[in-house]
Amino acid sequence: MKDAGEETVTPGQVLGKGSEVKAGRGAYLSCDTVYASLTGCRSLLPPSPQSPDQRPTVEVIGHKAHGPVPEPGCVVIARVTKVMARMASADIMCVGSKSVREKFSGIIRQQDVRATEIDKVDMHSSFRPGDIVKASVISLGDARAYYLSTAQNELGVVSAESMAGGTMVPISWTEMQCPLTGQIEQRKVAKVRA
Amino acid sequence: MEASSSKFVDQLVVPGDVILDLSNLSNQTLKLGGGLRQDGDSICVMKAGKLRFMKPNKYWVESSQKRYVPSAGDNVLGVVVDTKPENFLVDIKGPAIAFLPVLSFEGGTRRNIPKFEVGTLLYVRVVSANTGMNPELSCMDANGKAAEYGILKDGYMFESSTGLSRALLSSPPHPVLEGLGKKLSFEIAVGINGRFWVNASQSSTVILVGNAIQKSESLSMVQQKIYLEKLLKSIQ
């Protein structure tokens, strides 16, 4: 369906020759041919005038089924699902300010919880299952999960429930207090700007 | 100032019983042990058992179950169920499988990792048991020495309740255990998780000791003494 120069393409469809176009988002180069890797609209971006390589860039974008995808360097909101001795697993719920359309798993390793004294980190005093954390994506990780990090002041537990069931109030970067029982629990708390 | 005792002390309590109303007591701090919970102004019971009180201000519920709740510092009997590169997976009768790191042995290095088959019985110490996480075990004491921890060879393991395990480990010693120990020679290891292991030169002794201890759980002190006398006479 040709629509003012933009057509709908499917994964595997040939978008052009490697010598004529550069592969952009949603496209990849294989043996001198650029193929699409996503479903969407094909669009051609003109090359920037300064660059020596004067090939246009072809992109595949715009299909409404695509939600945001975590990329290295972006800040995500995740819910901790499991805490183990050396790492914690989390389900990524939002990328930036947009919620994701499909399930992404993340892992926070013991050495990525905070910036100081990383070998003395106790995972149980940093996160508990059910906590909402703000983390940054360090890398795409392995096939199972992204690697996340909370090693900055603004990252860490944003919201947590105490053992009595009340939403806790942060009192320092390591402690949160339950409003119902007054008990103090340890977490790696994020510094949220007022 | 001593806390006024609840009228339920040394009696059987069930979940839901309110043992103390804090609004009646003057300004005191109470220490609540296992099985008790503070619900606003009242102290409620969470676990069925006998309420105990120790001066000046400690309350707790003593109960006996077949189920074990792991807690740091306990000595337990575990059975190896699987081997992973970093840990042995050990069943200690708790809600989750416990991890025993392969290096948690005296003088343990990557080169001399012990080889445990599935089904091996171990006497281990619980290092940490946080809710939601798998408990972590160790075959060393807090100083790093092997102490008595490690594999238990031969013999037989019997199941018991947590209450019987605590009775076997208490002092003054359990009457049946003491009486049998005077007449027969055997080795015994008791895990607070409701398991105990007996070893002797003859399997008939192992069976006798194991059955006697298991039967004695439902007998009172007097009945235990009578049972012990009958048993020892029949061995002669």
Side-chain angles (χ1 to χ4, degrees):
Chain A
M1 182 181 88
K2 266 200 158 62
D3 195 353
E6 291 195 359
E7 54 183 287
T8 310
V9 292
T10 49
Q13 200 163 329
V14 172
L15 298 177
K17 283 213 201 107
S19 50
E20 290 165 20
V21 285
K22 250 195 313 198
R25 272 189 304 165
Y28 66 96
L29 181 71
S30 172
C31 300
D32 293 332
T33 321
V34 175
Y35 299 94
S37 65
L38 299 175
T39 315
C41 287
R42 169 190 196 264
S43 75
L44 216 56
L45 293 177
S48 57
Q50 288 96 9
S51 70
D53 182 8
Q54 285 293 311
R55 294 177 296 167
T57 307
V58 64
E59 283 188 337
V60 182
I61 51 164
H63 196 245
K64 56 183 184 309
H66 293 151
V69 172
E71 297 292 330
C74 63
V75 172
V76 297
I77 311 269
R79 182 191 295 123
V80 177
T81 50
K82 201 169 168 200
V83 177
M84 289 168 283
R86 302 247 183 278
M87 62 180 192
S89 308
D91 275 346
I92 297 176
M93 302 192 305
C94 305
V95 174
S97 56
K98 297 189 215 149
S99 71
V100 294
R101 298 285 184 96
E102 50 196 81
K103 184 167 173 259
F104 294 109
S105 289
I107 282 182
I108 309 172
R109 293 172 301 175
Q110 185 189 14
Q111 61 264 38
D112 299 324
V113 171
R114 56 180 195 217
T116 52
E117 287 190 333
I118 54 177
D119 41 346
K120 294 200 185 115
V121 170
D122 181 18
M123 293 308 291
H124 188 72
S125 324
S126 309
F127 306 112
R128 298 278 166 97
D131 290 354
I132 310 291
V133 302
K134 197 176 235 182
S136 78
V137 180
I138 336 176
S139 78
L140 299 177
D142 53 27
R144 286 167 290 189
Y146 286 88
Y147 281 171
L148 306 175
S149 161
T150 54
Q152 284 169 48
N153 290 350
E154 304 83 36
L155 303 176
V157 174
V158 169
S159 166
E161 235 187 45
S162 74
M163 288 193 270
T167 309
M168 293 200 286
V169 173
I171 45 183
S172 78
W173 76 283
T174 49
E175 287 173 340
M176 291 182 111
Q177 189 169 28
C178 170
L180 302 175
T181 56
Q183 264 188 318
I184 293 182
E185 287 181 34
Q186 304 218 301
R187 299 286 199 279
K188 198 275 172 189
V189 187
K191 186 178 184 145
V192 177
R193 294 192 191 282
Chain B
M1 181 164 21
E2 281 184 14
S4 53
S5 302
S6 158
K7 56 181 162 73
F8 285 102
V9 174
D10 282 337
Q11 284 185 16
L12 211 65
V13 287
V14 286
D17 284 352
V18 174
I19 57 156
L20 268 185
D21 199 354
L22 289 177
S23 48
N24 292 342
L25 297 175
S26 43
N27 201 14
Q28 289 150 6
T29 34
L30 296 175
K31 287 192 187 162
L32 300 181
L36 294 172
R37 189 175 72 101
Q38 179 182 7
D39 202 8
D41 252 351
S42 55
I43 309 287
C44 309
V45 174
M46 284 199 296
K47 244 174 153 187
K50 260 203 187 129
L51 182 69
R52 292 263 182 250
F53 174 66
M54 193 164 95
K55 288 184 184 175
N57 56 3
K58 279 195 210 147
Y59 285 97
W60 73 95
V61 178
E62 240 174 43
S63 55
S64 174
Q65 275 110 28
K66 290 220 160 83
R67 190 173 70 96
Y68 166 63
V69 177
S71 135
D74 289 349
N75 294 331
V76 297
L77 254 58
V79 176
V80 177
V81 289
D82 202 2
T83 320
K84 288 248 200 86
E86 284 289 321
N87 306 304
F88 295 109
L89 301 188
V90 179
D91 163 46
I92 54 172
K93 263 174 104 169
I97 294 260
F99 291 160
L100 172 62
V102 294
L103 301 173
S104 293
F105 297 87
E106 188 178 3
T109 59
R110 279 267 146 212
R111 287 175 174 269
N112 57 354
I113 295 176
K115 290 190 181 57
F116 291 140
E117 283 181 0
V118 174
T120 310
L121 187 66
L122 302 168
Y123 185 63
V124 289
R125 184 176 66 98
V126 178
V127 171
S128 72
N130 298 317
T131 44
M133 286 167 67
N134 299 70
E136 202 184 296
L137 307 172
S138 171
C139 267
M140 293 188 293
D141 63 11
N143 299 330
K145 300 285 178 212
E148 302 286 331
Y149 301 111
I151 189 173
L152 295 170
K153 291 204 180 81
D154 303 325
Y156 191 77
M157 178 191 75
F158 298 89
E159 302 268 330
S160 72
S161 65
T162 50
L164 180 61
S165 290
R166 284 198 303 267
L168 289 172
L169 291 167
S170 65
S171 58
H174 193 258
V176 171
L177 189 63
E178 200 183 2
L180 288 171
K182 286 189 182 138
K183 285 282 178 162
L184 306 164
S185 76
F186 58 92
E187 246 190 302
I188 184 168
V190 180
I192 203 105
N193 58 335
R195 284 184 173 151
F196 64 94
W197 167 87
V198 184
N199 190 20
S201 45
Q202 288 181 317
S203 12
S204 53
T205 318
V206 173
I207 298 171
L208 188 100
V209 172
N211 283 343
I213 293 175
Q214 282 181 325
K215 277 209 179 75
S216 71
E217 178 171 18
S218 51
L219 305 174
S220 69
M221 289 295 238
V222 176
Q223 286 172 321
Q224 279 179 28
K225 290 205 175 70
I226 302 171
Y227 174 67
L228 186 65
E229 278 172 24
K230 271 200 215 147
L231 193 63
L232 293 175
K233 269 200 200 123
S234 64
I235 309 173
Q236 306 305 16

